[in-house]
Amino acid sequence: MEQTGDPIVIEKIHKSFADQKVLNGITLRVSAGETVAVLGRSGTGKSVLLKVMIRLLPIDSGSVSIAGEEINALDEDELYQIRKKVGFLFQQAALYDSLTVRENVAFPLARHAKKMNVAERYRQVRELLASVEMDRDLDKLPSQISGGMQKRVGLARALVLNPEVLLFDEPTAGLDPITANEISNLILELKKKRKMTAVVVTHDVRATRLFADRLVFLHEGKVIAEGTFSDLQKSRDQFVRRFLTENNS
Amino acid sequence: MCKTNESLAELTGSIHNARDDWTRSCLAVIRNLVVSPFEWFGELGLFCARLFRAAITRPYQVAELLHQCDEIGSKSLPLVALAGAATGIVLSLQTRASLIQFGAKSLLPSVIVFSIIKESGPVITALVVSGRVGAGIGAELGSMKVTEQIDAMEASAVDPFRYLAATRVLACILMLPLLTVASNFSGIFMGWIATTLAEPISLRLFLLDGCKDALFSDFIPPTLKTAVFGLIIGIVACFQGMRTKGGTAGVGRSATSSVVLASLFVILADVILVRLILTIWG
């Protein structure tokens, strides 16, 4: 693989489930500090693309390099070291339902920052939850808060280890327009403050205008177009133009 | 003539399609019957290898292990004690009449004590725990799997095998012998109550009579074999839970299969372990 120094380098990856080909030779590079939005119809392999980036799913062929490491060549311990550098916000937040909001965010810290005492850990957790406006519900269980609040807590958990790379799976899906806008603004704020590299899988075209430096379109497991929002508005591909217009009204 | 030919071609096509469908169905049935069990055991082997590695290497999840010991041990205690008590009462009621018939009424305390400590106590405890804990672990991990909580744990660089599976399996191994002791105690005590209600006998005399021929080798191996039952229950329930697919229906399937398979393997393991204990201790 060509060494570029980009934190995310994906080359010609293929992934199938039984007879169904989901990713069909995708190549994608994301530079440091860049936010890339991955768009496409449901079932085109966008979430799978995110999961193969940290080897939550194995690929059939190709290569994925995160923070300069080819992740498919790593053993389990080395893989966990790389995963510490990546924050992942899941589509349904995936909060641990037996833990409170505070414990959910403290969970990775408790396991990876063992020298930090409990008081310091909870101070950091509170600060982080305050930054996503969730510091008033510290002792609530995930089932006692709304979907939008769960996404905020999920975001705080993704950020707690100060990752170099952030992966967002449909951060605004299933939320009302106001909450969706608040989440988009949070991502924008993160981008400005932390200058993090991020890949955002989304259907929310309006949100991508707000925070994405580049848009990548997936269709039938392949990248069919990529560029800035204004570039793609002028795309010759009718599907891309239609997707941008119909989802941006 | 042309129309007849078309109909004939259509009919032939339908027959070919039906034959293909039938062949595919047959192959699917053969696959399910022959290949799937091998796949299941293969995946179980890989799961056990990863679990073993997670259990013996650092960092150890001591706090979570203690939490699971509480969940599996102390919360199963009332149910296990109740099952043990019922066994003791039933043994007393059922064997009393038979022993009177053969003029061996004085053996009743020994029969109750030996039946409970050697077989009924360990097996009933294991079956009760496989029902309560097996279903619980299968459903909990299954639900974590389908809601991506296990993926989230992996993404946070925390090994779910270490944090979720190893702690539960170890807790099952540690708690089963202790629960068996509690169940034995409860069974013997309630056996005495049932016996003394029919014909008064002091607890001291009942225990002296019951335990006069008992050796440590009658008590220790059967109690310790439940650690193997704990291993089986823990592994099967964690494995079924962590491979759950298909939403809430899948969670239900995992919970059910955890209980069924764990109970089945406990009974099969009991046959082997009893033979082994008899070979070693006679």
Side-chain angles (χ1 to χ4, degrees), chain B residues 143-164:
Chain B
S143 142
M144 287 184 78
K145 175 75 181 172
V146 299
T147 55
E148 294 185 312
Q149 289 176 54
I150 292 183
D151 279 348
M153 200 170 277
E154 291 246 25
S156 303
V158 177
D159 183 358
F161 279 78
R162 194 184 301 279
Y163 184 78
L164 297 174

Side-chain angles (χ1 to χ4, degrees), chain A residues 10 13 15 17 22-23 26 38-59 88-92 167-171 173 199-203 218 221, chain B residues 148 151:
Chain A
I10 294 170
I13 55 167
K15 172 75 189 165
F17 293 103
V22 179
L23 302 179
I26 286 183
V38 179
L39 297 122
R41 296 180 72 162
S42 303
T44 47
K46 303 188 296 295
S47 297
V48 173
L49 177 66
L50 279 194
K51 287 188 176 177
V52 301
M53 284 189 200
I54 52 166
R55 217 169 87 187
L56 286 178
L57 290 171
I59 51 173
F88 200 122
L89 175 62
F90 285 81
Q91 194 169 349
Q92 305 296 331
L167 307 176
F168 297 88
D169 191 2
E170 308 263 13
V199 177
V200 187
V201 159
T202 185
H203 288 122
L218 290 196
Chain B
E148 294 185 312
D151 279 348

